[in-house]
Amino acid sequence: MLTGIHAVFIGGDARQLEVIKKFIELDAAVTLIGFDTLESNFNGAIKRPLSPDFLHDVDALILPIIGSDDSGKVESIFCSKPIQLKDEHFAALPAHCCLYAGIARSFLKDAAARHGLSLHELMNRDDVAIYNSIPTVEGALMVAIQNTDFTIHNSISLVLGLGRVGISMARALHALGAHVRVGARNPADLARIFEMGLTPFHIDNLAEQVDEADLIFNTIPHPIITAQVIANMQHHALVIDLASKPGGTDFRYAEKRGIKAILAPSLPGIVAPKTAGQIIANTLSQLVFDEVGNRRDQDGSEG
């Protein structure tokens, strides 16, 4: 139970609604910021505008999966006005308050460090990322089917990166009968790809691998599908970039050459927000119970 814990939710998408439900069920005191256009109301939750006035007793500050941008702006599909985090908001939080986001950019990391606040990035956790790869892969397959006139079965499909999403993506494509080639750099990853019954290649040789590819799924959040790589692709090839914004694809050159390239981050929130939200809710509620209680106890004993 989260009785006695004050959790503030700032912004988010449909996934955040599942997390809010979970916290209310566990008896947390819940405050919502950036939910003014949300039609349904949560019994036991209070809506407020963003202000430092009521942040002095917050135990957990919960941000969307993307956290904030580099200027402190927080996205919310349920808010009619921009949400802008400022230094005064972090200064108002008590020392034991923990910050939670899926991914934290430099603004959030700097603010937490400056004010001595604990910051947790959920997507850095293997359990969350692996669970989250399931709706990501389903969404990627949906995008592929919607944007091609050929079957995934018997296609030559490339997966770039063998992280949590890359492994799930490669397995799903293989199960559907695609000829799967996986690009990686680490020798251990290349060995694992071979062990999985797939075709490994070193990512440095990507430009030589794409000439036969029908589908390319990128999970690497760095410039990897460059103009040189795109120049070797077939015109019917489809690129689906699953890396976080801005992705790892030269989208400008892809468009110029007539190659369809789609940036598709945050697919779980689009194709399966309920499931994706429940994944986050289960992990986050346990984290808050463990971390906030411990920090609050430590601060109390130090005082």
Side-chain angles (χ1 to χ4, degrees):
M1 298 295 287
L2 299 176
T3 306
I5 289 177
H6 182 194
V8 171
F9 291 82
I10 301 182
D13 55 25
R15 287 173 287 186
Q16 202 78 314
L17 302 184
E18 295 299 321
V19 187
I20 294 167
K21 289 178 187 176
K22 182 77 171 182
F23 272 64
I24 292 173
E25 289 172 3
L26 293 174
D27 199 32
V30 174
T31 299
L32 307 179
I33 298 171
F35 291 84
D36 58 286
T37 64
L38 182 65
E39 293 183 0
S40 60
N41 290 318
F42 289 102
N43 291 329
I46 300 172
K47 293 181 182 180
R48 290 181 180 269
L50 180 58
S51 168
D53 296 341
F54 66 90
L55 297 177
H56 64 278
D57 66 345
V58 175
D59 299 304
L61 188 69
I62 301 166
L63 295 163
I65 290 297
I66 303 301
S68 73
D69 66 13
D70 289 328
S71 68
K73 184 179 178 181
V74 179
E75 291 188 5
S76 177
I77 65 172
F78 305 108
C79 189
S80 58
K81 299 177 181 178
I83 305 172
Q84 183 72 46
L85 285 172
K86 298 180 180 179
D87 198 66
E88 62 189 32
H89 299 126
F90 296 99
L93 295 169
H96 71 262
C97 180
C98 293
L99 310 181
Y100 299 90
I103 301 168
R105 295 188 177 177
S106 57
F107 173 87
L108 200 54
K109 290 180 179 178
D110 292 345
R114 195 162 53 248
H115 295 281
L117 300 169
S118 177
L119 173 61
H120 300 269
E121 294 181 78
L122 297 182
M123 290 304 164
N124 282 345
R125 293 175 56 97
D126 280 337
D127 55 351
V128 174
I130 291 169
Y131 284 130
N132 207 53
S133 72
I134 298 168
T136 297
V137 168
E138 288 190 10
L141 293 174
M142 178 192 74
V143 173
I145 292 168
Q146 289 175 336
N147 289 277
T148 55
D149 58 1
F150 53 85
T151 60
I152 293 174
H153 183 277
N154 206 40
S155 69
I156 295 179
S157 296
L158 271 58
V159 177
L160 310 184
L162 197 72
R164 283 85 56 113
V165 172
I167 289 175
S168 298
M169 191 77 247
R171 283 177 173 158
L173 290 166
H174 182 60
L176 287 171
H179 303 286
V180 184
R181 305 174 184 177
V182 185
R185 183 168 278 111
N186 189 306
D189 288 342
L190 294 171
R192 177 59 67 192
I193 295 162
F194 176 80
E195 181 274 332
M196 292 169 65
L198 311 177
T199 303
F201 67 89
H202 197 284
I203 204 71
D204 289 347
N205 298 325
L206 178 58
E208 301 161 14
Q209 292 288 330
V210 297
D211 59 344
E212 295 181 325
D214 301 303
L215 296 165
I216 301 102
F217 298 87
N218 178 51
T219 70
I220 301 172
H222 305 290
I224 191 76
I225 305 179
T226 61
Q228 180 185 1
V229 172
I230 294 168
N232 289 345
M233 290 181 185
Q234 303 179 89
H235 281 285
H236 75 267
L238 172 66
V239 177
I240 300 176
D241 200 322
L242 302 172
S244 56
K245 292 181 181 180
T249 303
D250 187 337
F251 292 98
R252 182 201 63 81
Y253 185 73
E255 182 178 5
K256 181 177 181 180
R257 189 160 179 272
I259 300 291
K260 192 161 193 177
I262 300 171
L263 180 61
S266 302
L267 279 175
I270 298 170
V271 301
K274 186 177 183 67
T275 298
Q278 289 171 345
I279 291 168
I280 297 166
N282 291 335
T283 301
L284 187 54
S285 58
Q286 186 62 51
L287 266 179
V288 169
F289 178 80
D290 294 338
E291 296 291 333
V292 171
N294 288 336
R295 290 202 87 195
R296 194 162 54 180
D297 292 342
Q298 289 172 5
D299 291 344
S301 62
E302 289 171 4

